[in-house]
Amino acid sequence: MAKQQADNITMASGGTYSLATRGAKDVIDRATPRVLKAIEGLGIPADRARFTMADMGCADGGTSLEMVSAVIEAVQRAAPGVQSTVVYADQPHNDFNALVQIAHGLGPFESWSRRFDNAWPLVSGSSFYLQAVPDTSLDFAFSATAMHWLSEKPCEIESHVHMVGASAEEHAVFSARAEADWLTILQHRLRELKPGGRAVFVNFCRDAAGHYLGNTGGVNMFDTLRDIWHEFVADGVINSEELARMTLPQYYRTVEEFAQPFDAGLLPGMRLESIETAQVVCPYAAQFQADADLETFASGLIGTIRSWNQSVFLGALDGSRSLDERHAIIEDYYEAYRVRVLDDPTGHGMDYVHAYMTVVKDS
Amino acid sequence: MAKQQADNITMASGGTYSLATRGAKDVIDRATPRVLKAIEGLGIPADRARFTMADMGCADGGTSLEMVSAVIEAVQRAAPGVQSTVVYADQPHNDFNALVQIAHGLGPFESWSRRFDNAWPLVSGSSFYLQAVPDTSLDFAFSATAMHWLSEKPCEIESHVHMVGASAEEHAVFSARAEADWLTILQHRLRELKPGGRAVFVNFCRDAAGHYLGNTGGVNMFDTLRDIWHEFVADGVINSEELARMTLPQYYRTVEEFAQPFDAGLLPGMRLESIETAQVVCPYAAQFQADADLETFASGLIGTIRSWNQSVFLGALDGSRSLDERHAIIEDYYEAYRVRVLDDPTGHGMDYVHAYMTVVKDS
């Protein structure tokens, strides 16, 4: 096992990640036919005794419960006597108490582990930057909405919070880190997969139209996140060093970037079977279109946005501020975003833009 | 997977379990030669690719780190190319955040997972009353100081806190539950072990001299625990219904009771290779003998005692009391024990009395 340590970034804990991220589940639901096709591609014989899959970067595991259930059902249909193991993996600062309870059906969702005999959840504290299980252990690997997190922040993005708004120079640094990280991620999966094994990755991307999460034609969410911090600097709430540190260690790859290590022959024994990009509409914006309930829309949207970035922003605030003060700034920040939505909801939302891909290891 | 739910009893959390239970680690250290003999008995060939073990009822995993390390070392010596997996299992309300961090070496202890390439921790939220992994997955199963917890409390023990002080009638009810539970525990392990696999269980017991945890010739710890609650009733601090609920759902088996399902032919395909009882001295009492530091002794002893029973006692207090009041009663209770030790330390301590056994599944 490599000794590299995963980062300290955490999703909202206590099972609230899945509650706050209905859209992340919609994305996995959209990927499920692709997943089931990959399972079919495994050609599981009727006398197969064992099946092992992994969900990598699973957070609290709530968003993938139904997908996992569909996989186990398909595998049991192919091989009625099979015993399945599902390895839920995330970095060691993840909320594993929430994950275990959700996997065992003790959380707010129904779990496959209560429905199926002969199927067991296991949990790993190895991030996808590490090998998580022995060589040739996995029939199937899955990951959704996780691999945009880089192994480290390669530089600060001075005048924005995200690489989508980086300068050319900053972009090049982020791009190089993302290229190396993607290769590392795939090399570990190449070792973990059995011969003939398959993986489905559903990753945030920049699509052919230049769209990405929260930027699909309306108000650009990331520009809004940046603008409010700039206002906070102008108003003297935070200082410019803090602003510079407000850099999400993420990279949204293009289809070409996802294909690059395969095209470059860097992964002998593994091929990218198919890749497509697709948009999944913001569930909060969709509900607002239907019910025109502005308060609910603004609260839901802000809740889903903050669930994945507030730990980064909180960590960027100066340590000389009291923890109470830091929390107060964070609350004011998201409140400012909420007020913008309340003032004029037009174009606000967080549509998802993902690349859906299937990877196959040679038999 | 059985749908039976594990109980709600929790050990002290946040990694404090292992810190408060130096003695539990001493017990595992004492078992390690037996463990290594069992590993030797597996006859692992030099070309073995995979080794899988489990630590069941592991709490935060801190007490077994060195034992696990010794096992992996022995397995890698036998088969240099082997890749090992260690499944840490405990009931779903265990503190898995502490467990993952300790297993990954991010807690207060050094972990084998940082020392060895080719060895990975996995975590399971299945208690030992459930099958935790697929059939014939495990080369080796281990459990220490855990299987005295019954699957449920079969009745209240009216005038004591533990079965060691139960009436004959209460004892019979506890004994029947313990017999059924022990068989269930072994039947699951029989399925999980590979043919020829081995298990080492280190369980609290009542030995041939009638000794058991905290009762090895000096002051009887369990009688002290009872006496203080009786005083609390006499003083009107708690009521008699609460006293009756102060019943630890535990059973200390005898060697004969551990051997019973094997002797009765209830486990075809599995045999009890060896069993012995042994005492491990209370580390706090031993240190007090050496340094005569009474304050440190009293605090250390009370800390280790409360780490495994305070959640039960807290849960026995009436729900109509405020949580603050319940916590205050619990603090007063252990303080009363501490004062007893300070007043006269003679004979106080928590010596461990365990049965150490090796179980073999037929090849």
Side-chain angles (χ1 to χ4, degrees):
Chain A
M1 181 166 48
K3 298 304 176 239
Q4 186 190 353
Q5 276 313 304
D7 56 56
N8 262 308
I9 291 156
T10 53
M11 300 295 101
S13 65
T16 55
Y17 175 73
S18 288
L19 289 170
T21 52
R22 287 165 44 193
K25 179 179 177 299
D26 293 342
V27 167
I28 293 179
D29 291 348
R30 194 202 170 280
T32 300
R34 172 179 288 269
V35 166
L36 294 177
K37 197 174 160 223
I39 298 301
E40 200 186 322
L42 294 173
I44 296 173
D47 64 349
R48 175 68 70 83
R50 207 75 71 76
F51 172 83
T52 306
M53 69 166 281
D55 179 3
M56 297 177 159
C58 61
D60 64 24
T63 52
S64 69
L65 286 169
E66 287 185 22
M67 179 278 293
V68 171
S69 188
V71 169
I72 295 171
E73 205 167 282
V75 171
Q76 292 197 351
R77 213 161 33 233
V82 74
Q83 296 194 318
S84 299
T85 307
V86 180
V87 178
Y88 287 99
D90 211 317
Q91 47 85 19
H93 297 281
N94 185 49
D95 186 350
F96 291 101
N97 290 333
L99 172 58
V100 167
Q101 297 204 13
I102 285 175
H104 283 265
L106 305 173
F109 316 106
E110 202 184 306
S111 171
W112 56 267
S113 72
R114 305 262 227 158
R115 277 185 60 207
F116 295 106
D117 284 336
N118 296 327
W120 292 268
L122 287 175
V123 165
S124 165
S126 300
S127 83
F128 44 75
Y129 288 112
L130 298 172
Q131 186 170 346
V133 291
D135 294 355
T136 64
S137 296
L138 297 181
D139 295 285
F140 178 63
F142 178 83
S143 182
T145 314
M147 292 169 172
H148 57 292
W149 291 103
L150 296 174
S151 61
E152 58 173 14
K153 181 161 65 177
C155 68
E156 301 296 356
I157 295 170
E158 292 291 332
S159 60
H160 210 286
V161 299
H162 199 274
M163 56 72 60
V164 295
S167 70
E169 199 182 338
E170 292 160 352
H171 184 97
V173 174
F174 264 68
S175 170
R177 179 73 268 166
E179 183 179 328
D181 280 356
W182 180 230
L183 181 61
T184 298
I185 289 169
L186 291 169
Q187 285 170 330
H188 287 306
R189 308 298 82 83
L190 179 56
R191 277 190 290 275
E192 292 166 340
L193 284 170
K194 294 182 187 170
R198 275 149 170 80
V200 168
F201 301 129
V202 184
N203 290 329
F204 280 140
C205 74
R206 288 171 289 140
D207 73 9
H211 289 165
Y212 49 82
L213 181 76
N215 175 39
T216 53
V219 177
N220 184 319
M221 174 187 71
F222 283 108
D223 288 349
T224 306
L225 290 169
R226 174 205 55 192
D227 291 347
I228 300 173
W229 282 129
H230 278 245
E231 281 177 16
F232 274 43
V233 173
D235 295 347
V237 179
I238 67 166
N239 61 48
S240 55
E241 288 78 37
E242 291 171 308
L243 177 70
R245 285 197 299 265
M246 299 289 183
T247 298
L248 291 158
Q250 301 187 342
Y251 190 87
Y252 292 170
R253 298 175 179 89
T254 62
V255 165
E256 292 67 34
E257 288 171 326
F258 283 120
Q260 183 271 334
F262 300 96
D263 294 344
L266 299 174
L267 291 159
M270 203 181 208
R271 65 193 162 85
L272 181 59
E273 188 182 70
S274 69
I275 182 166
E276 59 168 345
T277 65
Q279 200 171 307
V280 166
V281 74
C282 174
Y284 303 97
Q287 191 180 324
F288 178 55
Q289 288 241 320
D291 65 15
D293 180 345
L294 182 54
E295 281 283 346
T296 300
F297 171 49
S299 301
L301 178 64
I302 301 311
T304 200
I305 290 174
R306 69 185 294 175
S307 73
W308 52 270
N309 54 38
Q310 76 172 19
S311 77
V312 175
F313 292 152
L314 184 65
L317 292 172
D318 202 292
S320 68
R321 299 183 190 276
S322 74
L323 194 60
D324 279 353
E325 188 188 357
R326 281 176 272 163
H327 278 293
I329 292 170
I330 291 294
E331 291 308 316
D332 289 348
Y333 175 75
Y334 293 108
E335 178 60 16
Y337 200 145
R338 198 176 74 89
V339 167
R340 283 188 179 217
V341 177
L342 290 174
D343 283 351
D344 180 6
T346 316
H348 278 290
M350 191 180 85
D351 291 338
Y352 293 81
V353 185
H354 280 83
Y356 297 72
M357 70 200 82
T358 304
V359 168
V360 181
K361 180 170 169 175
D362 294 348
S363 306
Chain B
M1 182 166 48
K3 299 302 176 239
Q4 186 189 351
Q5 275 313 304
D7 56 57
N8 262 308
I9 291 156
T10 54
M11 301 295 100
S13 64
T16 56
Y17 175 73
S18 287
L19 288 171
T21 51
R22 288 166 44 192
K25 178 179 179 300
D26 293 343
V27 167
I28 293 177
D29 291 347
R30 195 203 169 281
T32 301
R34 172 179 289 270
V35 166
L36 293 177
K37 198 175 161 219
I39 298 300
E40 201 186 321
L42 294 173
I44 296 172
D47 64 348
R48 174 68 71 81
R50 205 76 72 74
F51 173 83
T52 307
M53 69 166 282
D55 179 2
M56 297 176 160
C58 60
D60 63 24
T63 52
S64 69
L65 286 169
E66 288 185 21
M67 179 278 293
V68 171
S69 187
V71 169
I72 295 171
E73 205 168 282
V75 170
Q76 292 197 351
R77 216 163 27 234
V82 74
Q83 295 194 318
S84 299
T85 307
V86 180
V87 178
Y88 287 100
D90 211 317
Q91 46 86 19
H93 297 280
N94 186 48
D95 186 349
F96 291 101
N97 290 334
L99 172 57
V100 167
Q101 298 205 12
I102 285 175
H104 283 265
L106 304 174
F109 315 106
E110 202 184 307
S111 171
W112 57 267
S113 73
R114 304 262 228 158
R115 277 184 61 205
F116 295 105
D117 285 336
N118 296 326
W120 292 268
L122 288 174
V123 165
S124 165
S126 299
S127 82
F128 44 74
Y129 288 111
L130 299 173
Q131 186 169 347
V133 290
D135 293 356
T136 65
S137 297
L138 297 180
D139 296 285
F140 179 62
F142 178 83
S143 182
T145 314
M147 292 169 171
H148 57 291
W149 291 103
L150 297 174
S151 61
E152 57 173 15
K153 182 161 64 176
C155 68
E156 301 296 355
I157 294 170
E158 291 290 334
S159 60
H160 210 286
V161 298
H162 199 273
M163 56 71 61
V164 295
S167 71
E169 198 181 339
E170 291 160 351
H171 184 98
V173 174
F174 264 68
S175 171
R177 179 75 266 166
E179 184 179 328
D181 279 355
W182 180 231
L183 181 61
T184 299
I185 289 168
L186 292 168
Q187 285 170 330
H188 287 308
R189 307 299 81 82
L190 180 55
R191 276 189 290 275
E192 291 166 341
L193 284 170
K194 293 181 188 171
R198 275 151 170 80
V200 168
F201 301 129
V202 184
N203 290 330
F204 280 140
C205 74
R206 288 171 289 141
D207 73 9
H211 289 166
Y212 50 83
L213 181 76
N215 175 40
T216 53
V219 177
N220 184 319
M221 174 189 70
F222 282 109
D223 288 349
T224 306
L225 290 168
R226 174 204 56 193
D227 291 347
I228 299 172
W229 282 130
H230 278 244
E231 281 177 17
F232 274 43
V233 174
D235 294 347
V237 179
I238 67 166
N239 61 48
S240 55
E241 287 77 37
E242 291 172 307
L243 178 69
R245 284 197 299 265
M246 298 289 182
T247 299
L248 291 158
Q250 301 186 342
Y251 190 87
Y252 293 170
R253 298 174 179 90
T254 63
V255 166
E256 292 68 33
E257 288 171 326
F258 283 120
Q260 183 271 335
F262 300 96
D263 294 344
L266 299 175
L267 291 159
M270 203 181 208
R271 65 193 163 82
L272 180 60
E273 188 182 70
S274 70
I275 182 167
E276 60 168 344
T277 66
Q279 201 171 307
V280 166
V281 74
C282 175
Y284 303 98
Q287 191 180 327
F288 178 54
Q289 288 241 320
D291 65 15
D293 180 345
L294 182 54
E295 281 284 345
T296 300
F297 170 49
S299 300
L301 178 64
I302 300 311
T304 199
I305 290 174
R306 69 185 293 176
S307 73
W308 51 270
N309 54 38
Q310 75 172 18
S311 76
V312 175
F313 292 153
L314 184 66
L317 292 172
D318 203 291
S320 68
R321 299 183 190 276
S322 74
L323 194 59
D324 279 353
E325 188 188 357
R326 281 177 270 163
H327 278 292
I329 291 171
I330 291 294
E331 291 308 315
D332 290 348
Y333 175 75
Y334 292 108
E335 178 60 17
Y337 200 146
R338 199 176 73 89
V339 167
R340 282 188 180 218
V341 178
L342 290 174
D343 284 351
D344 181 5
T346 316
H348 278 291
M350 192 179 85
D351 290 338
Y352 293 80
V353 185
H354 279 83
Y356 297 73
M357 71 199 81
T358 305
V359 168
V360 180
K361 180 170 169 176
D362 294 348
S363 306

